[in-house]
Amino acid sequence: MRIDTLHQNQDVTLSFEVFPPKTAATYASVIEAVEHLSRRRPDYISVTYAAGGGTSHNSIDIASRIQNQFATTALAHLSCVSSTRGEIAGIVEQLARNGVENILALRGDIAPGSDFPSGGNYRYAYELIGDIKKRGGFCIGAACYPEGHAESRNKEQDIEFLKMKVDSGCDFLITQMFFDNNILYSFLYNALRKGIDIPVTAGIMPVTSAGQIVRMCALANASLPPKFKAILDKFGDRPQALKQAGIAYATEQIVDLIANGIKGIHLYTMNKPDVAGSIVSNLSGVLDIDTR
Ligand code: FAD
């Protein structure tokens, strides 16, 4: 199903993100995680994409299996900055042939010290969005950054560039992770003032590893509020305690988001179905899981 149709039909959507295996040895475990996650009956499951390195075919393959084998709506991430326009067009056709109807159109990260590609290839996500829109047949999502993208001069300029993505044909947005809901509410207010009125789904990261989250937040330009830092300080070296506290924190964040009218929750599952499962069980009434 197209995700814009899901947004029209449901009060709140629940979705999961998985990442593809980097080696053939871990392929089976990723499929097993996807199978477990699909049993939780999310509205869709997204698969991240890494250009090059021989893993991009795994993203397409797993998105296709989510859609066809696990009978769950798939959202295929697709980053454009490291590929030619011809390569990207080929992937889009392959996704269409495999029945995938939703693409999260991204620029992708530029390696530190390297230049933008030349030769007419993509520089920004809005160009990819425009091309997919022109082709037709896909519901298109894009990324947004409640605390601003790491390369942006300021949040206002970031929202102006975000508007270009929306105007190029993007149907919905998924946020970068954030740990203070007030940051999202302020971002949504500013986005709406700039005329961005498409559905925005909140990306929620349940934290289960202290070292990993500090690195990820630095890369993602996501700040850690004092309440969250206290959890890391107290439980950072006790994995089971941190996992419980991380699940409780994410649960509380989601309850507040839904109470304040947010229409979509996207869990960054890190391929851990048990963590996602605990959060979904905590929220089965709030998310109306039983009536799906
Ligand atoms: P853009 O929207 O193109 O923005 C990139 C930067 O350029 C921003 O600073 C923006 O303000 C600026 N900009 C935009 N337009 C212009 C313009 N016209 N002129 C000047 N500056 C401009 N990465 C992956 O590699 N694979 C994934 O699967 C993946 N999934 C993601 C999922 C989500 C929900 C999120 C939030 C991010 C994801 N990323 C992924 C990371 C993403 O690729 C990086 O954050 C990347 O640096 C920016 O991608 P973008 O699509 O937001 O780029």
Side-chain angles (χ1 to χ4, degrees), residues 17 46-51 59 76-80 104-110 116 123-127 129 142-145 148-154 157-162 164-165 173-177 203 219-220 266 268:
E17 178 188 281
S46 82
V47 191
T48 65
Y49 182 89
S59 303
H77 296 209
L78 178 58
S79 69
C80 60
L104 192 73
L106 299 149
R107 186 194 69 178
D109 281 323
I110 296 171
F116 267 119
R123 283 175 77 93
Y124 298 112
Y126 80 90
E127 301 164 45
I129 292 166
C144 64
Y145 303 86
H149 183 258
E151 290 164 33
S152 296
R153 224 179 305 145
N154 56 55
Q157 191 194 50
D158 209 39
I159 290 184
E160 275 161 24
F161 291 137
L162 180 61
M164 287 176 71
K165 296 203 271 198
L173 297 166
I174 301 181
T175 74
Q176 183 58 279
M177 62 175 134
L219 283 172
H266 190 63
Y268 295 117

Side-chain angles (χ1 to χ4, degrees), residues 61-132:
D61 177 61
I62 290 173
S64 306
R65 289 183 70 169
I66 290 168
Q67 186 71 41
N68 301 304
Q69 182 181 343
F70 298 114
T72 301
T73 294
L75 168 63
H77 296 209
L78 178 58
S79 69
C80 60
V81 80
S82 310
S83 307
T84 65
R85 282 185 186 254
E87 284 164 348
I88 293 291
I91 293 168
V92 170
E93 290 315 316
Q94 199 178 341
L95 289 169
R97 273 198 305 278
N98 294 356
V100 175
E101 296 175 287
N102 307 288
I103 296 180
L104 192 73
L106 299 149
R107 186 194 69 178
D109 281 323
I110 296 171
S114 62
D115 281 335
F116 267 119
S118 53
N121 287 326
Y122 296 99
R123 283 175 77 93
Y124 298 112
Y126 80 90
E127 301 164 45
L128 173 63
I129 292 166
D131 279 359
I132 301 172

